[in-house]
Amino acid sequence: MALSRSMRTCLHSARLAFLAILVSGGIVLQILACALYNNWWPMLTVLMYLILPMPLIFFLGSDTSSMMSNGGDGWVNFTKFLTGTSVVGSIAIPSILKHAGVIGWGALSMELSSFVVFGVAILWFLQMSGEDEYSGVF
């Protein structure tokens, strides 16, 4: 049974709303990790979140299929390297801060849960943008 156009539009809007809730939840967790423990050092992770999409924007443009392939030229491989470095940095910065005794276990757990929420939001967005059924909705 095929869904009507209005039903597909409603489902697409609900998915976008859920995506917005995920991103908002990640931001709230990030801020709470700092505010609850009165220590703003965990905000260093925000730098990695800001740097994360930059290689994709600068070097790949709108061609996301080359990011998922094994082959590619030097720029694609350089983009994958920079993206991977940013992802590892997003986990490493709070871990290093905890190891150095700058933040506590609560702030570390909130930072890492914020990373997981942002990761789920990114994967959700990639899954949504890869579906063809929504390209003909509007």
Side-chain angles (χ1 to χ4, degrees), residues 8-124:
R8 284 191 315 230
T9 304
C10 182
L11 286 174
H12 185 64
S13 299
R15 285 181 168 191
L16 287 176
F18 184 67
L19 182 65
I21 289 170
L22 278 175
V23 171
S24 300
I27 292 170
V28 166
L29 281 171
Q30 181 74 36
I31 293 172
L32 281 177
C34 300
L36 287 179
Y37 301 100
N38 199 19
N39 186 353
W40 292 92
W41 280 104
M43 285 302 263
L44 286 174
T45 310
V46 173
L47 293 174
M48 286 294 139
Y49 293 149
L50 294 175
I51 292 172
L52 184 64
M54 294 306 164
L56 298 172
I57 293 170
F58 292 145
F59 298 124
L60 288 183
S62 62
D63 185 21
T64 58
S65 63
S66 62
M67 190 65 179
M68 302 300 177
S69 66
N70 286 335
D73 61 356
W75 288 112
V76 172
N77 291 333
F78 183 64
T79 301
K80 290 177 184 179
F81 172 75
L82 288 179
T83 304
T85 304
S86 297
V87 168
V88 169
S90 298
I91 298 171
I93 289 175
S95 301
I96 292 170
L97 289 174
K98 171 61 184 116
H99 181 72
V102 176
I103 64 174
W105 283 107
L108 176 68
S109 63
M110 290 183 115
E111 283 285 323
L112 294 179
S113 61
S114 171
F115 174 77
V116 168
V117 169
F118 279 131
V120 168
I122 290 170
L123 292 175
W124 183 272

